[in-house]
Amino acid sequence: MSPKRIVLRFGTDISVKPIVYRLVKDYDLVVNIVKADVNPKKEGTMILEVTGDQSENGLNYLRDLGVSVQNLNQEIVRNEDKCVMCGACTGVCPTGALYMERPSMEVRFDGDQCVFCQLCVKVCPMWAMEVRL
């Protein structure tokens, strides 16, 4: 079973609750936190990969708490026509999804390793890295 990628958005009342722990403990889910911006007394956002037979039950639990649960329908893609292989994106990619292939010195992109941080989009001088919804 491949992981389901979801985006969670929640208010200050939820940011102090152990919602990921509940998904693991109560619903026997495997949870990979891809990206998180969670602070006490602030709204939070998380991107998760969730795997398990009870994933829908776990997501319904989150919805019942008032958490906004959305499927992650965006992806980062590299426009091959715009890319000049400068490598600027490879220097900021935290997961190595963008890397320089040697000895050809061509930029390669492994979308499965991408965590949607969008740093590559910001640094690409040719706007070759794009967010698609």
Side-chain angles (χ1 to χ4, degrees):
M1 175 182 284
S2 64
K4 178 182 244 181
R5 288 187 172 189
I6 57 170
V7 178
L8 306 180
R9 291 186 176 83
F10 44 89
T12 56
D13 56 326
I14 303 294
S15 67
V16 294
K17 294 184 179 180
I19 59 174
V20 173
Y21 170 79
R22 291 277 126 211
L23 293 177
V24 173
K25 179 90 168 123
D26 298 344
Y27 298 95
D28 197 30
L29 300 180
V30 175
V31 177
N32 179 32
I33 302 171
V34 176
K35 186 176 180 182
D37 182 13
V38 181
N39 294 300
K41 301 181 184 175
K42 286 189 174 182
E43 294 180 350
T45 304
M46 296 177 80
I47 299 175
L48 304 178
E49 291 178 335
V50 179
T51 308
D53 293 335
Q54 296 189 62
S55 63
E56 279 308 312
N57 293 337
L59 298 180
N60 286 334
Y61 156 77
L62 294 175
R63 288 182 187 101
D64 290 345
L65 285 177
V67 176
S68 168
V69 179
Q70 298 173 316
N71 288 327
L72 183 62
N73 295 323
Q74 71 178 25
E75 63 179 339
I76 303 285
V77 293
R78 183 171 64 98
N79 183 325
E80 306 259 345
D81 294 331
K82 292 181 180 178
C83 183
V84 295
M85 306 290 170
C86 71
C89 56
T90 65
V92 297
C93 184
T95 63
L98 285 155
Y99 60 95
M100 194 67 77
E101 186 173 74
R102 300 186 191 273
S104 66
M105 298 305 287
E106 293 182 5
V107 173
R108 297 288 181 218
F109 178 57
D110 180 356
D112 291 335
Q113 299 297 316
C114 180
V115 295
F116 311 103
C117 68
Q118 300 183 23
L119 292 174
C120 57
V121 175
K122 295 173 186 172
V123 302
C124 181
M126 304 306 293
W127 297 96
M129 300 307 296
E130 303 169 350
V131 177
R132 292 216 181 128
L133 303 175

